[in-house]
Amino acid sequence: MTNVQLGEKLAEGVYFNTIADDRYKTDRISVNLLLPLDSGTASENAVLPFILRKGYRECPDFTQLNRRLNELYGAYLGADVRKIGDNQVLNLSISSIDDAYALEGEPMVEELSGILAGLLVDPNMPGGQFDPKEFELEKQYLIDTIESEINEKRAFALSRAQSLLCRDEPYGQNRYGSLEQAKALTVEQASAAYRRVLSTAQVEILFVGCGNPEPAKRRFAQAFANVDRKDCVSIQSKVVNDIRDVQKVTERYQVAQSKMVLGFRLKEKAEEKQLDALRLMVSLYGGTPISKLFVHVREEMSLCYYCAARFDRIKNIMLVDCGVEKENIEKAEKEILHQLDAIRQNDFTDEELENTRLSLRNNFRTVGDSPSSMEGWYLGQRCSGTACAPEEEAARLDQVTREEVVQAAQNVELQLVYVLTGMEE
Amino acid sequence: MNPISKESVVKNERLREEFLKIDHPSGLTIYLYPMKGYSSAYALFGTNYGSIDTTFKTQDDPDFVTVPEGIAHFLEHKLFESEDGDAFTLFAATGASANAFTSFDRTCYLFSTTDNFEQSLDALLTFVQSPYFTKETVEKEQGIIGQEIRMYDDAPDWRVFFNLLGALYHNHPVRIDIAGTTDSIAQIDDQLLYRCYHTFYNLSNMTLAVTGNFDLETAKKVIERRIPTDVKKVEIQRKTEEEPLTVVKNSVEQDLEVAVPLFHIGFKEQPLEGKELLKTQVTGELLLELIAGEGSSLYRELYDEGLINAEFGTEVMTGRGYYCEIFAGESRDPKAVYEKIKQELRRLKEQDIQESEFERARKLIYGRYVRGFNDVENVAGALVSAHFMGVSVYDAIEIVAALSFQDVVSYLNTHFDEEHSAISVVNPRKA
């Protein structure tokens, strides 16, 4: 049984969201600080979760903190930076088994939320500043993280494509900010950024678990009672429907396999109903193993191991990506576009459409089976100002007609061809 | 259900959970594990056959055959194709999401579904038992898998891991990439695929685990329909070359497109089986947390000196015929990390560990195992792993609860021989 209660206000711009579900054996609590993604502040914001994770006034020592976490059945403490639409989301989370499964019946929710709230509002800042040594270590980790994005070639290519496609929008920024900025960070700057973020960010606290959320709610209400919350930021994302000439960008690295990403925008602004149609269309095009791209580009032509399409519902952007041999790049591009034309020309069977609908419904209905996907789902809802359950979105797909799918395909327009390939011989 | 199927209910008081185990007359062992409150059902149909099974015969074959590297993975891809088309189309009408994976010592086929469980299970049991390989379809797949191999060639975390295994193992096929190489897969043909299939995809070498939201009776009905009872038993003989405990070399390096060097440090140990393996593995996991987890003094020292970052972690890597402990991460000076780890192990062996540290690490590992039962996919995976290891899925959690300080001390004193260790590093390319 899932019991969802969203947007309980604890303080100005601070909200507590409960997703209680007795199927789990765990409790997961996360704090999400929502901020506009801005090139001026991206890096100084991004370093914060990594510093905050290291300790707080009550337990300033990282080793002691981790020993405490171990005693709490290996409670997992996560720090992360995400990009949702034009916003940067700083995330701190903690999770472990619920009281009901603790060997000595320890009050787990109380303990876990106490630590998380402490890390967030009560960091170890003697004289108003982070410890310079801790700061330097985490600054270096931020630099490493930015530089190491190239390690994952597929994710790197997708991220480059987003940046190129949205180069004039906040969404075009790297979620960690730029390497130059990260390298120039000072401890004073990070400390000031912490104070700004704590008082102005939109704060979304999510509790996902089988336990009782009340102790967590109380802890966070107390924690924010002493925070001076003012000038809260407003969270929004801009959709661009301005069609330009297709950008063609090739970048060279020492790689064996080339990656190609095609970026598309919408010609006409889409309302909710059209967004549902776009979601279905993108899945029919390249979201499943029965999709056009999988069946034709991979299975029939053997050009790629992966070739897939995805849609960002907040930014209204479609990206198609594949890994391909250098000599097959043009052939793959041609076939990818050819398959989109097929959908635009109504060339797909009822069976393909219905099966895609089934597959999407299955994905939506599976969200609740994992606490972290549940958290991601409802955080997404909070970022876009909606409050839909996964099942409700699934149900809306049933209303989408074939004609709307065709129109959705006709509404996407190629804007970018990005290729990451090997050095010239 | 066929009258000669043997059914038993297996319970665990600690987790307040239970499941049904069925020993089917075909030799197939079936685990049905309904989980309350979940939306999806998840099924794994697996065979005890992976990339390391390269030389084998059955009781009917006169001689052993040695097959090209990567054939188990190739077979997994090809099994999705039948005479009437693709297995994905069988699942398409159910909405289920289907997939498969091949590891060193197993191959599994799976689906996850919230609707049409009966048709989905039917599809899974049908396609895995219907091989169809032709010269043409094999050639087509060589292009797709060729691209998969090329993708892994560019993945530094994958390379650093396999380079380590290559440094640790002389003969054991765990040293070879699961997907093989472009050259090795070029030698695969339809006849070889059939030979592998008929050797390893016999029901007594397989298991089926179903977890999550499904009806027991429906599952039994599909099993009765799709799993034959009268099956000839196949006796598999695997040939493995002797593997000494010594390593091939202590150090291996490769240059790739990375910013910070990646490292894997491994200690090679004696392989084990069954419950002894499970207990050793659990003890090893606990000890690794104690030695190098985020609460350890070693972690703190390495971190504060800027020698590791938050990517650092440890694992016990084990399977049929191999066992090693691995320390992995990113570092500007991997060799210094290697030295510090060796130093710390020497120190702990001489001075012994604290009992309080053991208790903390035990709680951590206990929590990790309980959390594993939060997820339908994890539970199915654990059932299959336990089955192939010859233990019960609840054994691990009971072992953790009963583990003694002495077990950990004795593990420490009989493992981590520096002579049997190696470091693998992936360096940034020189400009």
Side-chain angles (χ1 to χ4, degrees):
Chain A
M1 191 55 207
T2 320
N3 202 340
V4 179
Q5 195 177 1
L6 302 180
E8 261 185 275
K9 189 168 169 181
L10 299 184
E12 195 53 44
V14 179
Y15 303 95
F16 193 89
N17 305 281
T18 304
I19 299 106
D21 200 315
D22 54 16
R23 80 185 93 173
Y24 311 130
K25 294 185 166 53
T26 56
D27 299 306
R28 178 184 170 89
I29 310 160
S30 72
V31 181
N32 303 278
L33 306 166
L34 280 50
L35 298 150
L37 184 52
D38 178 278
S39 58
T41 55
S43 287
E44 62 183 45
N45 292 347
V47 77
L48 295 176
F50 305 125
I51 301 179
L52 294 177
R53 188 183 84 95
K54 298 293 288 292
Y56 59 115
R57 211 158 48 85
E58 207 178 290
C59 186
D61 185 276
F62 183 64
T63 307
Q64 294 308 324
L65 173 64
N66 276 291
R67 291 183 176 168
R68 185 74 200 107
L69 294 171
N70 290 358
E71 280 163 3
L72 293 169
Y73 301 92
Y76 174 77
L77 183 61
D80 188 17
V81 180
R82 304 178 193 176
K83 176 162 72 175
I84 301 182
D86 288 336
N87 306 296
Q88 189 182 27
V89 180
L90 313 182
N91 169 283
L92 275 178
S93 67
I94 195 163
S95 63
S96 193
I97 58 174
D98 181 55
D99 312 18
Y101 299 92
L103 287 168
E104 290 139 35
E106 296 94 323
M108 296 294 289
V109 175
E110 184 78 51
E111 297 280 348
L112 298 175
S113 51
I115 293 174
L116 191 63
L119 292 170
L120 180 69
V121 304
D122 197 17
N124 186 34
M125 296 177 87
Q129 259 184 34
F130 290 123
D131 180 79
K133 173 110 177 81
E134 291 289 350
F135 164 77
E136 284 303 326
L137 287 169
E138 299 315 312
K139 171 183 163 177
Q140 188 59 50
Y141 180 53
L142 179 68
I143 294 169
D144 291 351
T145 304
I146 297 171
E147 287 191 324
S148 297
E149 286 187 313
I150 184 66
N151 290 9
E152 304 287 334
K153 310 291 179 293
R154 184 177 183 179
F156 179 80
L158 281 166
S159 161
R160 284 293 297 141
Q162 285 174 357
S163 297
L164 290 162
L165 185 61
C166 304
R167 58 186 191 275
D168 304 326
E169 299 156 62
Y171 191 68
Q173 303 286 329
N174 187 306
R175 64 188 155 139
Y176 300 111
S178 71
L179 188 59
E180 294 67 34
Q181 274 184 348
K183 285 183 171 165
L185 280 181
T186 64
V187 67
E188 292 78 18
Q189 195 185 347
S191 306
Y194 167 73
R195 284 185 286 274
R196 171 179 50 75
V197 165
L198 191 67
S199 69
T200 65
Q202 180 178 327
V203 184
E204 296 291 341
I205 302 156
L206 281 89
F207 176 96
V208 184
C210 63
N212 175 10
E214 290 307 320
K217 204 187 293 174
R218 200 178 53 238
R219 282 278 191 171
F220 278 100
Q222 281 163 1
F224 276 98
N226 304 320
V227 178
D228 185 17
R229 296 277 304 164
K230 56 182 181 211
D231 308 324
C232 287
V233 297
S234 76
I235 292 307
Q236 42 197 254
S237 289
K238 207 170 135 216
V239 171
V240 175
N241 300 105
D242 164 29
I243 299 301
R244 307 179 196 173
D245 291 340
V246 180
Q247 275 188 78
K248 297 206 174 215
V249 179
T250 297
E251 294 182 333
R252 292 182 187 278
Y253 290 87
Q254 299 269 8
V255 293
Q257 184 187 59
S258 302
K259 308 284 180 197
M260 175 163 63
V261 187
L262 307 187
F264 300 80
R265 281 193 193 277
L266 303 187
K267 288 187 280 193
E268 310 278 341
K269 189 170 162 30
E271 302 302 332
E272 188 178 75
K273 198 162 164 37
Q274 288 146 331
L275 288 174
D276 291 338
L278 274 155
R279 182 174 257 157
L280 187 57
M281 185 282 286
V282 173
S283 200
L284 173 77
Y285 180 38
T288 74
I290 49 165
S291 67
K292 295 278 186 199
L293 294 180
F294 191 94
V295 168
H296 296 282
V297 183
R298 172 177 146 136
E299 292 295 313
E300 274 173 18
M301 299 179 75
S302 300
L303 287 173
C304 309
Y305 171 65
Y306 70 87
C307 182
R310 67 192 73 205
F311 184 62
D312 186 309
R313 199 181 164 99
I314 297 181
K315 290 297 290 178
N316 292 1
I317 284 165
M318 178 172 82
L319 296 178
V320 173
D321 78 326
C322 66
V324 62
E325 277 311 298
K326 199 186 240 177
E327 62 267 25
N328 288 330
I329 292 174
E330 273 174 49
K331 206 164 152 190
E333 181 187 339
K334 201 170 146 218
E335 188 59 23
I336 289 168
L337 295 174
H338 175 68
Q339 292 304 324
L340 182 61
D341 277 335
I343 302 179
R344 285 171 174 156
Q345 285 154 23
N346 202 11
D347 179 11
F348 53 92
T349 64
D350 285 341
E351 199 185 1
E352 280 177 273
L353 182 64
E354 291 319 308
N355 290 346
T356 305
R357 221 192 288 266
L358 281 174
S359 164
L360 268 175
R361 185 194 302 165
N362 190 56
N363 294 349
F364 281 120
R365 292 182 56 179
T366 308
V367 168
D369 280 353
S370 137
S372 58
S373 15
M374 204 66 150
E375 181 195 287
W377 176 271
Y378 281 104
L379 181 61
Q381 297 297 312
R382 295 297 293 162
C383 286
S384 48
T386 48
C388 262
E391 296 77 16
E392 293 171 59
E393 293 238 1
R396 285 215 309 269
L397 291 174
D398 290 343
Q399 312 303 317
V400 176
T401 65
R402 164 180 281 273
E403 290 66 38
E404 287 165 339
V405 169
V406 172
Q407 282 162 13
Q410 289 168 349
N411 194 14
V412 296
E413 185 75 22
L414 182 68
Q415 290 288 277
L416 170 74
V417 179
Y418 172 71
V419 174
L420 186 162
T421 190
M423 298 295 180
E424 273 174 293
E425 269 116 53
Chain B
M1 196 92 262
N2 192 293
I4 40 174
S5 276
K6 247 178 50 200
E7 293 189 8
S8 52
V9 177
V10 183
K11 292 185 188 210
N12 184 275
E13 296 302 327
R14 220 177 274 285
L15 293 166
R16 284 159 248 166
E17 293 204 347
E18 62 177 49
F19 64 89
L20 183 67
K21 180 183 178 195
I22 303 172
D23 293 304
H24 192 269
S26 61
L28 181 69
T29 310
I30 300 159
Y31 299 93
L32 302 178
Y33 199 129
M35 289 162 71
K36 245 174 63 192
Y38 283 80
S39 312
S40 59
Y42 186 90
L44 270 182
F45 193 16
T47 165
N48 193 8
Y49 167 55
S51 67
I52 61 172
D53 298 300
T54 48
T55 305
F56 54 82
K57 70 189 273 297
T58 70
Q59 75 268 32
D60 298 330
D61 300 316
D63 298 309
F64 279 95
V65 61
T66 297
V67 291
E69 290 159 2
I71 196 167
H73 171 257
F74 202 100
L75 174 48
E76 172 229 298
H77 272 237
K78 278 334 300 165
L79 210 49
F80 274 87
E81 203 152 346
S82 73
E83 204 160 356
D84 338 305
D86 198 309
F88 286 120
T89 55
L90 280 177
F91 287 100
T94 73
S97 127
N99 211 333
F101 62 87
T102 306
S103 68
F104 292 118
D105 55 4
R106 85 189 58 152
T107 313
C108 292
Y109 301 83
L110 61 97
F111 70 81
S112 161
T113 194
T114 56
D115 296 293
N116 306 311
F117 169 75
E118 183 173 349
Q119 295 93 308
S120 304
L121 184 59
D122 194 292
L124 178 71
L125 300 186
T126 304
F127 95 83
V128 175
Q129 296 186 85
S130 321
Y132 175 73
F133 315 124
T134 66
K135 194 167 167 286
E136 293 71 34
T137 62
V138 167
E139 277 171 15
K140 191 200 75 178
E141 205 65 30
Q142 276 154 350
I144 297 171
I145 297 179
Q147 285 312 304
E148 190 177 358
I149 292 170
R150 297 278 275 171
M151 181 175 84
Y152 283 117
D153 285 343
D154 283 329
D157 48 350
W158 193 252
R159 293 307 342 142
V160 72
F161 172 60
F162 274 95
N163 292 347
L164 173 71
L165 294 176
L168 291 178
Y169 289 89
H170 296 266
N171 307 314
H172 195 286
V174 73
R175 66 196 308 279
I176 309 299
D177 272 28
I178 290 167
T181 62
T182 11
D183 288 341
S184 74
I185 63 166
Q187 298 157 30
I188 293 171
D189 63 29
D190 49 335
Q191 291 313 307
L192 277 172
L193 288 174
Y194 277 117
R195 179 145 181 196
C196 293
Y197 183 86
H198 291 303
T199 302
F200 294 106
Y201 284 69
N202 66 82
L203 293 166
S204 48
N205 192 46
M206 298 178 76
T207 186
L208 170 69
V210 187
T211 58
N213 172 29
F214 68 98
D215 173 54
L216 273 182
E217 292 313 312
T218 309
K220 288 186 189 176
K221 196 169 77 187
V222 180
I223 290 163
E224 191 172 349
R225 186 162 72 220
R226 291 296 171 203
I227 303 293
T229 47
D230 187 20
V231 187
K232 186 188 161 192
K233 291 270 183 298
V234 179
E235 285 161 32
I236 304 165
Q237 289 180 49
R238 298 173 165 97
K239 196 168 175 178
T240 44
E241 276 192 71
E242 191 71 21
E243 176 66 41
L245 202 51
T246 58
V247 299
V248 181
K249 49 186 166 184
N250 292 111
S251 172
V252 54
E253 299 190 38
Q254 184 183 0
D255 292 351
L256 276 176
E257 191 75 65
V258 296
V260 184
L262 268 60
F263 69 87
H264 266 50
I265 294 163
F267 289 80
K268 184 177 177 182
E269 312 288 359
Q270 209 64 258
L272 297 161
E273 285 174 11
K275 215 159 174 172
E276 191 190 0
L277 167 58
L278 183 64
K279 185 173 174 186
T280 308
Q281 184 185 345
V282 169
T283 315
E285 285 171 5
L286 189 152
L287 190 58
L288 284 174
E289 279 301 329
L290 199 154
I291 297 167
E294 287 190 322
S296 68
S297 49
L298 175 66
Y299 186 95
R300 181 61 177 275
E301 185 187 338
L302 292 170
Y303 202 106
D304 283 357
E305 287 182 25
L307 284 172
I308 57 167
N309 60 27
E311 305 296 315
F312 182 77
T314 60
E315 70 164 316
V316 171
M317 219 282 290
T318 181
R320 247 190 291 120
Y322 57 92
Y323 188 109
C324 50
E325 298 98 354
I326 296 176
F327 300 79
E330 295 179 1
S331 178
R332 287 188 171 65
D333 191 354
K335 296 269 162 71
V337 178
Y338 190 22
E339 281 314 310
K340 296 243 179 210
I341 288 173
K342 287 194 282 193
Q343 257 175 36
E344 177 67 358
L345 287 164
R346 262 176 270 159
R347 186 186 73 83
L348 287 172
K349 283 182 183 186
E350 281 162 20
Q351 301 177 3
D352 260 354
I353 34 187
Q354 301 292 316
E355 196 152 357
S356 59
E357 291 175 43
F358 158 73
E359 274 309 326
R360 263 197 304 269
R362 192 165 75 98
K363 277 196 165 178
L364 182 160
I365 299 293
Y366 174 80
R368 189 184 287 170
Y369 277 99
V370 173
R371 262 182 285 181
F373 287 88
N374 223 11
D375 182 300
V376 293
E377 191 175 330
N378 255 324
V379 176
L383 285 162
V384 170
S385 295
H387 176 77
F388 289 145
M389 202 189 270
V391 299
S392 156
V393 73
Y394 296 135
D395 283 347
I397 205 159
E398 293 305 321
I399 286 173
V400 186
L403 210 62
S404 76
F405 181 52
Q406 201 41 53
D407 292 327
V408 174
V409 173
S410 119
Y411 186 107
L412 176 67
N413 290 323
T414 51
H415 291 71
F416 300 109
D417 186 336
E418 286 178 22
E419 293 290 310
H420 303 150
S421 71
I423 181 167
S424 157
V425 179
V426 164
N427 288 307
R429 280 184 206 275
K430 319 239 170 358

